[in-house]
Amino acid sequence: MIVQQDAPVKSRGASNHLFDRGLRVFPDGTTRITVERDPVPRYAKAGRGAYLEDVDGNRFLDLNNNFTTLIHGHAYAPIVEAVSSQLACGSCFANPTEHEIILAEMLIDRIPPVERVRFVNSGTEAVMFAIKAARAFTGRPAIARIEGSFHGAYDWAEIGQAGTPLTWGPPEAPAPVPLYRGAPASVADDVLILRFNDLEGLQRLEDVADRLSCVLVDPMPSRAGLIAADPGYLKALAASAHRSGVLIIADEVLNLRQGYHGAAAKYGLEPDLVAMGKIIGGGFPIGAIGGREDVMRVFGTKQGKGYLPQGGTFSANPVSMLAGHIAMQALTRDEFDRLERLGNDVRTGLSAAIRRHGAPFSVTGAASLFRIHPKENPPREFRQTFCNGEEEEMLRRLHRHFLASGILLPSGAAASLSTPMGLAETTMIVDCFDDFLSHANQH
Ligand code: PMP
């Protein structure tokens, strides 16, 4: 067994103090379950480029990037400048602005099959309204989704997100595991769980297709392992769905950062609707639903088959629209290519270190994303990513080692690179992992 000595913990007095205050006002001390804590979170003071400074004066290379959102790192100067002048002109209106048209035009130009767009405020909302749009269009209530993947907090999208070996049921018929006690059973009744890369399981989709409005699928589900689809899987999934009039929703909230045209296009998936978020807001809250013109018509007209009213107090606010457009404009094809090369360097370097040390780890991911698994073989689907106690402890040690070396490595889902990074940062990441494995082998 690999054992790693606990890394020296950097000073965290001010974070401790803030967490004490946080515990008095929040049920668990912060307001997001996803905040890293070990056992106390590090409170952020400022971010510049690829680096984040905490309230104790520690500086870290940030591989979290606010859950992959900050593709240009922190305080990206063109966005700071443009948003500052927009703030002086007003931050939100009940009226539309030109900024929403400019961002929508860009998304339509880049992301197939986006022909029409609606803006909302988060990825959760984008997924929720995409599902509602699919229901309104097809007149059917149920959805299918992939086991273990994360799609935000809409009830139907949450089912099957967090199964365990005790609850997830047989591989040939995964259980629609609710996320929390008290979740209405009727919600689970309307969710079919499929396993990623399970071609045989697609028959189950066709068996209940007359109740299904859509299949919700992230082309590379991050929480479920940041695992690539097997060749042909996504095409077969779409074919099964389309044969029965079931729509495909590509959840690109996270994976849009994989390329100029997004991840679905990259991996040959042809969705009917696309849920977007994160990078398209340039660091401000955003979500977007895009898709085929005929399907998106449900948002627009009371005539015709379906009609789906959708508003939102802050939807399409000019700050998010403007920041998002600047962020996306800077993401040229060349810049995506450069990010992909950096990602390749990191994944290749990490894998080489694993081989050199003969360590029981593997690496998944693509483009600017990577994930380290405490598993000898790279997982092919969610169930294979499930960690036992020893593996979880290994991940904790890995996380601490990175932290002690000045790198924030997300312990769960996806680690991400940002455009301010270069060779210095990729080398730092690979060297840090190599160092972890060297120490690990000494015991
Ligand atoms: N879908 C995916 C694939 C995501 O990664 C996320 C957020 N991590 C969401 C949906 C939800 O987005 P938000 O947190 O903006 O609600």
Side-chain angles (χ1 to χ4, degrees):
M1 192 195 91
I2 294 179
V3 182
Q4 161 74 25
Q5 273 181 339
D6 277 358
V9 177
K10 291 195 171 191
S11 134
R12 58 166 70 190
S15 279
N16 281 338
H17 181 66
L18 286 175
F19 192 51
D20 282 345
R21 283 174 56 198
L23 284 167
R24 278 182 236 124
V25 289
F26 305 121
D28 72 345
T30 71
T31 77
R32 294 187 280 184
I33 183 69
T34 41
V35 168
E36 303 272 4
R37 56 186 76 202
D38 186 20
V40 168
R42 286 176 183 275
Y43 284 76
K45 182 172 178 197
R48 271 176 214 91
Y51 292 85
L52 180 144
E53 195 186 312
D54 74 7
V55 289
D56 291 294
N58 301 303
R59 187 170 176 265
F60 299 100
L61 176 66
D62 187 1
L63 299 181
N64 189 311
N65 287 305
N66 195 34
F67 307 102
T68 75
T69 297
L70 301 170
I71 198 162
H72 298 300
H74 298 277
Y76 181 56
I79 292 180
V80 173
E81 201 177 311
V83 164
S84 303
S85 46
Q86 177 61 44
L87 288 178
C89 304
S91 61
C92 55
F93 311 102
N95 312 64
T97 69
E98 186 182 358
H99 299 297
E100 70 201 43
I101 300 174
I102 294 172
L103 182 57
E105 284 170 346
M106 173 178 266
L107 297 176
I108 288 169
D109 190 47
R110 288 189 178 194
I111 319 293
V114 176
E115 295 171 341
R116 292 287 185 275
V117 175
R118 293 296 276 216
F119 286 115
V120 289
N121 299 295
S122 66
T124 287
E125 271 181 274
V127 169
M128 175 177 78
F129 279 113
I131 290 173
K132 289 186 178 189
R135 288 179 182 146
F137 185 76
T138 60
R140 304 169 184 169
I143 73 164
R145 49 150 291 153
I146 303 292
E147 189 171 49
S149 59
F150 183 76
H151 298 289
Y154 185 44
D155 291 59
W156 286 263
E158 281 181 340
I159 298 285
Q161 171 191 312
T164 68
L166 292 178
T167 60
W168 60 33
E172 65 283 2
V177 181
L179 188 64
Y180 61 97
R181 189 164 77 107
S186 59
V187 172
D189 289 346
D190 276 332
V191 181
L192 174 74
I193 305 295
L194 303 170
R195 283 164 58 231
F196 200 59
N197 283 332
D198 176 20
L199 278 173
E200 283 167 22
L202 296 180
Q203 185 54 49
R204 295 173 54 243
L205 188 160
E206 301 201 39
D207 291 346
V208 296
D210 58 341
R211 286 183 43 72
L212 285 179
S213 57
C214 61
V215 180
L216 175 62
V217 58
D218 180 338
M220 188 177 281
S222 60
R223 188 79 72 82
L226 200 66
I227 293 167
D230 289 345
Y233 174 72
L234 292 173
K235 276 206 172 354
L237 176 67
S240 286
H242 287 155
R243 256 196 300 279
S244 319
V246 177
L247 302 186
I248 293 282
I249 300 175
D251 182 348
E252 295 240 22
V253 170
L254 191 151
N255 275 312
L256 199 76
R257 67 151 47 227
Q258 284 209 25
Y260 191 82
H261 300 296
K266 183 172 176 177
Y267 298 114
L269 176 69
E270 291 178 15
D272 305 283
L273 291 167
V274 182
M276 295 167 275
K278 297 200 194 265
I279 65 164
I280 64 162
F284 290 84
I286 200 164
I289 309 99
R292 275 168 40 191
E293 192 273 335
D294 60 331
V295 180
M296 291 295 289
R297 221 178 283 157
V298 298
F299 288 104
T301 171
K302 286 186 181 164
Q303 281 100 52
K305 280 197 294 188
Y307 173 56
L308 174 61
Q310 172 264 321
T313 301
F314 293 103
S315 293
N317 74 79
V319 176
S320 298
M321 299 295 109
L322 178 60
H325 182 250
I326 294 170
M328 295 300 287
Q329 208 173 25
L331 290 168
T332 58
R333 290 172 199 272
D334 284 349
E335 199 58 347
F336 273 116
D337 287 349
R338 192 178 71 84
L339 269 176
E340 177 133 7
R341 281 197 299 278
L342 290 179
N344 285 339
D345 289 349
V346 169
R347 286 183 299 275
T348 308
L350 296 175
S351 300
I354 291 169
R355 275 197 306 279
R356 213 171 21 255
H357 294 281
F361 285 90
S362 53
V363 178
T364 58
S368 53
L369 297 161
F370 71 92
R371 182 162 166 180
I372 301 171
H373 299 269
K375 306 269 181 191
E376 197 163 347
N377 298 311
R380 283 187 58 241
E381 57 109 6
F382 168 64
R383 293 187 181 203
Q384 295 171 5
T385 68
F386 198 84
C387 290
N388 60 31
E390 208 172 285
E391 290 163 338
E392 269 177 9
E393 177 55 21
M394 188 58 68
L395 281 183
R396 257 192 303 277
R397 288 177 185 282
L398 180 69
H399 180 75
R400 282 183 204 148
H401 184 87
F402 268 74
L403 207 57
S405 312
I407 304 175
L408 285 175
L409 175 75
S411 55
S416 60
L417 306 179
S418 58
T419 57
M421 294 183 192
L423 182 63
E425 283 75 23
T426 57
T427 306
M428 192 172 156
I429 296 165
V430 172
D431 287 353
C432 180
F433 187 52
D434 192 69
D435 188 51
F436 172 77
L437 296 180
S438 311
H439 283 95
N441 273 342
Q442 284 169 9
H443 295 271

